[in-house]
Amino acid sequence: MTTIAPQTSLFIGGGWHTSSATESIPVISPLTEAEIGSIPSSTIADIDTAVTAARRAFRAGRAGTPADQAGMLRRFADALEARTEDRARCVTTENGMPISLARFAEGAAPVQLLRYYADLVEAQPVEERRASRPIPGTTVVRREPVGVVAAISPWNFPAILSMFKIAPALASGCAVVLKPSPETTLDSYILAEAAIESGLPQGLLNIVTGGADVGQYLVSHPGIDKVAFTGSTRAGRQIGKVCGELLRPVTLELGGKSAALILDDADIAQTVEGLATASLLNTGQTCYMSTRILVPRSQYSPYVDAITAMAAGLPVGDPLDESTFIGPLVSAQQRARVLSYIDRGRADGATLTTGGGAPEGLDRGFFVAPTVFADVDNDTAIAREEIFGPVLSLIPYDSTADAIAIANDSSYGLGGTVWTTDTERGLDVARQVETGSFGVNTFNLDWGSPFGGVKDSGIGRELGPEGLAAYQNTKSIFLTA
Ligand code: NAD
């Protein structure tokens, strides 16, 4: 992997601003464990400059009309599309995401999302007229941009999760200050280059770099009108508290511990093949993974064998290798966290059927072998807490009602899947699971439909028209007739 020159600039007000930072944050390759670059730890002065630039752009109405906004998003998409491969490779280098996934999720998908919101905002009327009651008259209901948005993203899918916020915010006429995760900030410089090349009006998108302290300052900044956050439930609670005190609108996309419910009519081979993606995508570092796998007790043993064989057979290695499915975890800290959960699983009496440590022959890089625990009690830590790594828990159940109860016995509610040869039966189960999104024999996000969580998985929705509404205030104007 290549080394990237240390970054000392920030993208602010449409151009490069030299950071006043005296400290830099190293970016470490999860494959080689070597430093591959560094980013400035933005100062308070840097963040103030970014928020001021965003406010100025918003006040000046630089986003223009919805038609202007759609054109701006399409030009941004074209410039980003030319950088698809560069951005995908950069993310893979930063966080170890397998390149075959990064090409779509981090390269192509952000471009698609910009185009989706361009089409949506163009089709949406800014004002609608309603007959008013009880006193007859007319009310004009207007959609207006919320203002300046602080967008804070995590390291697992940095490009697309940043775009979940940037695209609808720009589409609705807001200005954005983005703070990526320090592990995965280098790719946002490619985003900035695309913004410059596309002629994005100055100040509508600004990027500050740094860790949680930079995020904290940004969230409570008086120049911010709305916060959009994706990350851990722990940080989400802190941000929610600050925004509650300030009465500042906030979207929180947080952690998960979703369940896969395998029904007794499921096709075992197809189910287990589907579970590889539904439970281990991006080396398990995906928020909506179905990591609690609920198996009918009558078919428990064949499923344990088949899921163990699937996990043990997944290609593990260099994430830039096209055939890799399991790459290294993002950091030494994340590896230590995942290994500590594996120790807890063992200590709590679950049966390890494969994995459990570093994969053979890979003594460098933050690797953890795909790991399967059978006979897991839903009350133990590995079934209740988000591990965020390649660790699956197999839990037997007796009846469909029992499986639904186990699925719902969780503090989280983000994703989930059901596996069955009867779609209607699957839909019936889907309706009973307490969650924000759910898949029948699959789990695919849909740009046109809302995504988000219930319970400890968060507040609010991204994607779809609901994701656009999150960046719009409504104003009702009452007319006499
Ligand atoms: P994290 O919460 O540690 O950090 C996320 C981002 O928030 C980073 O940019 C970080 O610098 C910043 N941050 C941390 N504390 C902050 C604070 N108090 N105030 C402001 N900013 C703060 O999360 P992470 O480890 O980067 O990401 C993994 C987590 O993200 C997992 O829990 C995962 O489930 C969750 N996630 C959720 C979704 C979703 O859509 N629900 C998607 C992806 C990841």
Side-chain angles (χ1 to χ4, degrees):
M1 291 199 189
T2 50
T3 304
I4 298 159
Q7 297 286 2
T8 51
S9 299
L10 301 171
F11 177 60
I12 294 178
W16 298 109
H17 160 94
T18 303
S19 168
S20 58
T22 50
E23 284 174 31
S24 62
I25 302 175
V27 180
I28 306 293
S29 159
L31 179 68
T32 65
E33 305 185 25
E35 185 171 328
I36 50 168
S38 65
I39 53 161
S41 178
S42 300
T43 61
I44 284 177
D46 292 334
I47 304 165
D48 289 345
T49 306
V51 175
T52 303
R55 281 224 80 76
R56 196 173 297 135
F58 176 67
R59 286 249 167 81
R62 288 205 192 128
T65 64
D68 298 332
Q69 288 149 14
M72 167 179 97
L73 261 59
R74 291 190 183 114
R75 286 188 295 279
F76 194 8
D78 291 345
L80 205 53
E81 192 168 39
R83 293 165 172 82
T84 299
E85 181 67 14
D86 283 357
R87 192 132 188 243
R89 291 181 84 83
C90 185
V91 170
T92 292
T93 308
E94 293 171 304
N95 73 359
M97 177 185 295
I99 187 69
S100 55
L101 171 63
R103 269 204 192 101
F104 171 69
E106 299 291 284
V111 175
Q112 292 180 7
L113 203 58
L114 281 166
R115 290 182 179 145
Y116 167 77
Y117 276 111
D119 292 348
L120 192 68
V121 75
E122 209 169 39
Q124 189 180 66
V126 174
E127 294 184 353
E128 61 174 278
R129 286 175 177 247
R130 298 182 191 173
S132 47
R133 71 210 78 171
I135 298 173
T138 301
T139 302
V140 175
V141 179
R142 269 181 69 73
R143 293 187 175 87
E144 299 184 344
V146 293
V148 176
V149 174
I152 300 180
S153 53
W155 46 258
N156 62 333
F157 285 86
I160 187 61
L161 292 175
S162 296
M163 197 53 87
F164 275 23
K165 300 154 184 57
I166 295 169
L170 294 180
S172 54
C174 295
V176 177
V177 180
L178 171 71
K179 196 215 70 78
S181 205
E183 295 84 352
T184 48
T185 294
L186 296 175
D187 64 278
S188 70
Y189 285 84
I190 300 174
L191 180 74
E193 283 168 18
I196 294 170
E197 186 186 280
S198 73
L200 196 78
Q202 294 180 353
L204 284 187
L205 175 64
N206 309 274
I207 305 176
V208 292
T209 62
D213 52 335
V214 173
Q216 276 165 2
Y217 182 71
L218 190 59
V219 163
S220 60
H221 198 289
I224 295 294
D225 298 302
K226 179 200 160 85
V227 176
F229 172 78
T230 299
S232 61
T233 297
R234 181 191 47 75
R237 278 190 210 286
Q238 291 170 6
I239 292 170
K241 232 183 240 177
V242 173
C243 291
E245 185 61 35
L246 294 169
L247 296 180
R248 182 165 291 173
V250 60
T251 307
L252 300 170
E253 299 284 1
L254 311 177
K257 191 72 196 180
S258 303
L261 295 86
I262 302 177
L263 302 191
D264 53 10
D265 64 355
D267 177 280
I268 185 162
Q270 281 176 13
T271 299
V272 173
E273 191 188 333
L275 281 174
T277 307
S279 64
L280 289 166
L281 189 77
N282 197 22
T283 317
Q285 298 168 119
T286 309
C287 51
Y288 56 75
M289 292 290 88
S290 292
T291 51
R292 290 185 296 143
I293 301 180
L294 314 186
V295 183
R297 202 179 292 279
S298 57
Q299 299 170 40
Y300 191 59
S301 172
Y303 269 107
V304 171
D305 293 348
I307 292 168
T308 301
M310 175 275 284
L314 293 173
V316 183
D318 182 342
L320 281 170
D321 185 325
E322 303 288 336
S323 64
T324 292
F325 190 83
I326 298 285
L329 296 175
V330 67
S331 62
Q333 189 191 355
Q334 187 65 14
R335 178 180 55 184
R337 177 188 154 92
V338 171
L339 291 176
S340 80
Y341 273 111
I342 293 174
D343 288 344
R344 285 174 79 176
R346 283 195 177 103
D348 286 339
T351 310
L352 183 74
T353 66
T354 186
E360 237 171 80
L362 287 170
D363 43 15
R364 199 180 55 164
F366 307 130
F367 288 97
V368 171
T371 297
V372 177
F373 280 108
D375 312 322
V376 175
D377 182 333
N378 195 50
D379 286 335
T380 56
I382 58 166
R384 301 208 80 78
E385 296 174 26
E386 183 182 50
I387 300 175
F388 226 51
V391 182
L392 304 182
S393 294
L394 308 193
I395 303 175
Y397 73 82
D398 294 310
S399 66
T400 307
D402 183 25
I404 293 166
I406 298 170
N408 289 340
D409 181 12
S410 172
S411 58
Y412 292 108
L414 186 60
T417 48
V418 61
W419 303 84
T420 173
T421 46
D422 180 345
T423 304
E424 282 309 311
R425 209 177 152 207
L427 203 47
D428 187 49
V429 167
R431 292 188 181 108
Q432 298 177 66
V433 177
E434 296 160 2
T435 186
S437 57
F438 199 80
V440 180
N441 296 319
T442 186
F443 191 102
N444 286 320
L445 294 188
D446 165 14
W447 302 154
S449 303
F451 175 67
V454 299
K455 304 196 268 188
D456 287 358
S457 293
I459 295 173
R461 294 291 179 266
E462 294 190 307
L463 302 180
E466 293 81 0
L468 187 63
Y471 295 92
Q472 295 169 326
N473 286 328
T474 56
K475 181 191 281 175
S476 295
I477 305 170
F478 311 118
L479 307 178
T480 46

